[in-house]
Amino acid sequence: MEQRTKIKAESGGQDLMITREFDLPVGLLFEAYIEPELVEAWMGTKVIKLDSKKHGSYHIQTSNPDGQVVFQADGVIHELVPNTKIIRTFEMLGTPFGVQLELLQFEALGDETSRLTMHVVYESGAQRDQVLQMGYVQGINMAHNRLQEVVHSSR
């Protein structure tokens, strides 16, 4: 099965360029990143806090069926331009991975289609490569497939 989310990682670099086209209007794609209910639905995680504004912040967590928290992440939103751009940090808590910088660009391709371009910068090339070895490519493809499905069905 073709992976619709494309990831480019140049050898020796410490960043990723990620692109994905969605069968969604750009406004709905953008909402999937700023509306807590939509974020929870497609990410399968609980949004503890999502202050979607410039200088806002967020905190998400995932629990197992026994209620134990198995994943937590948080970050700061540095810039948010509706339907256009989000610049934020992302940090997985309790892991050796440091903070990453994420630049998300939203682009309308037509009335019902859009493109998301993510530029993700890690603290080092070694850290980026370690994340890629942990199944990141498959994971983000699954997440973006879920985003498409959830947001499309919410219309």
Side-chain angles (χ1 to χ4, degrees), residues 72 85 104:
Q72 292 188 80
K85 173 173 37 173
L104 289 72

Side-chain angles (χ1 to χ4, degrees), residues 3 7 19 25 33-34 51 79 94 96 109-110 114 119 123 136 139 151:
Q3 295 186 341
I7 299 178
T19 56
Y33 280 85
I34 65 167
D51 193 13
E79 187 170 355
L109 299 177
S114 55
H119 184 191
E123 289 184 8
Y136 183 82
V151 176

Side-chain angles (χ1 to χ4, degrees), residues 82-124:
N83 300 334
T84 303
K85 173 173 37 173
I86 298 172
I87 300 175
R88 67 184 186 187
T89 59
F90 177 88
E91 182 176 14
M92 289 187 282
L93 305 178
T95 71
F97 303 111
V99 176
Q100 63 195 51
L101 177 64
E102 299 181 340
L103 300 92
L104 289 72
Q105 296 279 342
F106 300 83
E107 175 186 2
L109 299 177
D111 291 343
E112 297 294 323
T113 57
S114 55
R115 177 184 298 129
L116 171 65
T117 303
M118 300 173 64
H119 184 191
V120 181
V121 182
Y122 294 85
E123 289 184 8
S124 69

Side-chain angles (χ1 to χ4, degrees), residues 30-44:
F30 189 80
E31 284 182 23
Y33 280 85
I34 65 167
E35 296 294 335
E37 300 81 18
L38 286 175
V39 172
E40 287 183 348
W42 72 267
M43 286 189 70

Side-chain angles (χ1 to χ4, degrees), residues 126-138:
Q127 194 174 84
R128 178 203 68 177
D129 293 346
Q130 189 175 6
V131 168
L132 287 172
Q133 291 171 358
M134 295 173 54
Y136 183 82
V137 174
Q138 294 79 14

Side-chain angles (χ1 to χ4, degrees), residues 13 16 20 22 32 36 46 68 83 101 110 125 130:
L16 298 173
R20 170 73 181 248
F22 290 90
K46 184 172 184 169
Q68 295 175 310
N83 300 334
L101 177 64
Q130 189 175 6

